[in-house]
């Protein structure tokens, strides 16, 4: 099962798929309804331009329209992803709209297609997708709820839902701070409180373990001393800088109590020079000086898990 941009799909089969839908069906709008093949070809080109933000009508935002293709190669549905929201979309249609061709309904294609579209949304930096659904379209509401939707609010006609685009915690790499125990849980509390938004490690740690550097956009599951995932983090920036270039801002962002570069350096060098740390390396006598490279990773919490939403740093420590 895969999503393919409309302009990359087979033109004839795509035309036939769009011809299956009326102009409006339960809130799913098909602007291509009634078009002949010649006009449809122009429309497809316009969609490609719109995905790049070119030639947008007033009040529109960039969007990508996809064809859902099943494992047998059949064209089964259409999914539209708006790259961002404007004021009208925030109280209306939201990020995603979709429709499944009549002959393929009731087979789970909408759920699979929505999950694939949520993956595309995550790639665009959308942490939470906003959708709407007619109240009498219970099947579509169930599709959204199968993908993790919660009803945010409603009016007389529609439910308005929100879906986190983050993968399930069990499918993410762990974000482990320090060893299990009081110090890890203190750091977890600082992260949940928004005080700690960065972490630092020596480049030699990555080299020793032959581990790739963190990348912007990567997600991880923050775990506490019980190995319980408590939040999902996303990497927002990665600085590789000499130890001698650490600034007060770096110290403050790490959020562990140091407010100057000098204090931060004293704390970290004490740890990095401790036998317990150095004995983990093939060469425990590696030099540590102004030129030693530090990997400084910035992150933010994009999703709180379970009952963590109302816990502060102190509150978390009291309840673990």
């Amino acid at each position: 099962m895969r999503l393919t941009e409309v302009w990359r799909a087979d033109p004839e089969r795509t035309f036939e798929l769009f011809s299956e839908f009326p102009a409006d069906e339960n809130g799913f709008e098909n602007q291509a309804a009634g078009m002949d093949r010649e006009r449809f070809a122009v429309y497809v080109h316009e969609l490609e331009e719109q995905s790049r933000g070119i030639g947008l009508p007033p009040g529109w935002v960039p969007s990508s329209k996809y064809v859902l293709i099943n494992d047998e190669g059949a064209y089964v549905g259409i999914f539209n992803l708006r790259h961002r929201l404007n004021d009208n979309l925030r109280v209306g249609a939201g990020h995603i709209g979709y429709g499944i061709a009549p002959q393929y309904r009731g087979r789970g294609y909408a759920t699979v297609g929505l999950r694939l579209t949520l993956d595309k949304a995550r790639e665009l930096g959308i942490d939470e997708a906003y959708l709407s659904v007619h109240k009498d379209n219970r099947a579509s509401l169930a599709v959204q709820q199968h993908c993790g939707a919660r009803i945010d609010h409603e009016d007389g006609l529609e439910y308005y839902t929100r879906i986190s685009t983050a993968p399930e915690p069990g499918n993410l790499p762990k974000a482990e701070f320090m060893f299990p125990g009081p110090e890890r849980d203190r750091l977890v509390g600082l992260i949940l409180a928004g005080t700690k938004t960065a972490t630092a490690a020596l480049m030699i740690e990555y080299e020793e373990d032959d581990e790739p550097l963190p990348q912007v956009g990567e997600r991880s599951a923050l775990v506490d001393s019980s190995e319980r995932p408590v939040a999902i983090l996303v990497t927002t920036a990665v600085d590789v800088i000499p130890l001698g270039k650490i600034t007060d801002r770096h110290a403050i962002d790490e959020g562990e109590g140091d407010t100057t570069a000098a204090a931060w350096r004293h704390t970290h060098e004490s740890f990095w020079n401790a036998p317990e740390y150095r004995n983990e390396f093939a060469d425990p006598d590696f030099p540590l000086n102004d030129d030693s490279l530090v990997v400084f990773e910035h992150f933010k919490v994009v999703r709180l898990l379970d009952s963590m939403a109302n816990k502060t740093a102190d509150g978390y420590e009291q309840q673990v």
Side-chain angles (χ1 to χ4, degrees):
M1 196 84 67
R2 69 187 189 277
L3 291 175
T4 298
E5 292 93 340
V6 168
W7 50 93
R8 300 181 189 277
D10 179 80
E12 183 63 26
R13 298 169 75 184
T14 303
F15 174 78
E16 292 174 356
L17 174 65
F18 275 74
S19 298
E20 297 276 352
F21 295 89
D24 190 334
E25 183 181 22
N26 287 324
F28 175 69
E29 297 181 357
N30 176 24
Q31 295 172 325
M35 288 183 181
D36 59 24
R37 284 172 169 77
E38 183 177 355
R39 176 66 186 92
F40 184 75
V42 175
Y43 171 69
V44 169
H45 176 71
E46 292 171 347
L47 291 177
E48 184 176 7
E49 296 283 276
Q50 289 170 15
S51 73
R52 300 172 180 171
I54 300 171
L56 295 175
W60 286 40
V61 300
S63 63
S64 297
K65 200 175 290 288
Y66 300 94
V67 172
L68 179 65
I69 304 174
N70 71 10
D71 293 338
E72 288 72 45
Y75 284 33
V76 302
I78 303 167
F79 288 77
N80 188 51
L81 172 61
R82 300 174 186 93
H83 298 182
R84 56 180 172 81
L85 301 181
N86 57 23
D87 290 342
N88 289 331
L89 291 171
R90 287 190 187 94
V91 295
H95 287 102
I96 299 172
Y98 55 88
I100 300 298
Q103 65 270 36
Y104 293 107
R105 292 172 186 170
R107 304 188 194 181
Y109 288 134
T111 300
V112 175
L114 180 54
R115 285 177 177 155
L116 292 173
T117 307
L118 291 168
D119 290 341
K120 300 286 188 183
R122 182 172 66 250
E123 293 172 4
L124 291 172
I126 300 169
D127 295 321
E128 187 175 61
Y130 175 64
L131 292 82
S132 63
V133 56
H134 283 14
K135 283 186 170 180
D136 59 1
N137 192 353
R138 307 298 298 185
S140 187
L141 177 61
V143 165
Q144 295 180 26
Q145 291 175 324
H146 287 156
C147 293
R150 60 180 176 84
I151 297 176
D152 184 75
H153 63 284
E154 62 184 276
D155 58 25
L157 178 65
E158 309 246 8
Y159 292 117
Y160 299 91
T161 67
R162 296 186 182 276
I163 310 176
S164 170
T165 65
E168 288 304 307
N171 297 328
L172 292 171
K174 292 181 181 179
E176 300 175 288
F177 290 81
M178 303 294 291
F179 298 107
E183 180 62 12
R184 173 181 289 184
D185 289 331
R186 182 182 76 86
L187 297 180
V188 167
L190 292 173
I191 293 168
L192 296 178
T195 304
K196 180 176 176 62
T197 60
T199 188
L202 291 176
M203 174 67 85
I204 193 173
E205 295 181 39
Y206 291 91
E207 295 171 343
E208 179 85 6
D209 297 333
D210 195 23
E211 181 181 346
L213 295 181
Q215 299 293 314
V216 172
E218 286 183 345
R219 282 168 163 75
S220 58
L222 175 66
V223 298
D224 63 11
S225 290
S226 302
E227 296 297 316
R228 174 182 56 174
V230 297
I232 293 176
L233 308 180
V234 62
T235 299
T236 58
V238 180
D239 301 328
V240 179
I241 49 180
L243 183 55
K245 298 292 186 180
I246 292 291
T247 66
D248 293 348
R249 183 72 259 170
H250 288 108
I252 293 169
D253 287 349
E254 194 158 14
E256 297 182 26
D258 296 320
T259 57
T260 67
W264 181 95
R265 183 162 175 172
H266 174 77
T267 300
H268 285 73
E269 287 192 12
S270 295
F271 175 74
W272 289 330
N273 282 319
E276 296 83 358
Y277 176 82
R278 285 182 167 265
N279 288 339
E280 296 294 320
F281 291 86
D283 177 14
D285 297 322
F286 65 85
L288 186 64
N289 52 46
D290 282 352
D291 295 327
S292 299
L293 293 179
V294 177
V295 178
F296 209 90
E297 179 183 2
H298 304 259
F299 55 79
K300 67 177 180 179
V301 175
V302 293
R303 180 180 168 193
L304 293 165
L305 304 175
D306 300 328
S307 60
M308 307 309 299
N310 296 319
K311 294 186 178 181
T312 64
D314 292 340
Y316 181 76
E317 289 178 351
Q318 293 167 3
Q319 296 183 50
V320 292

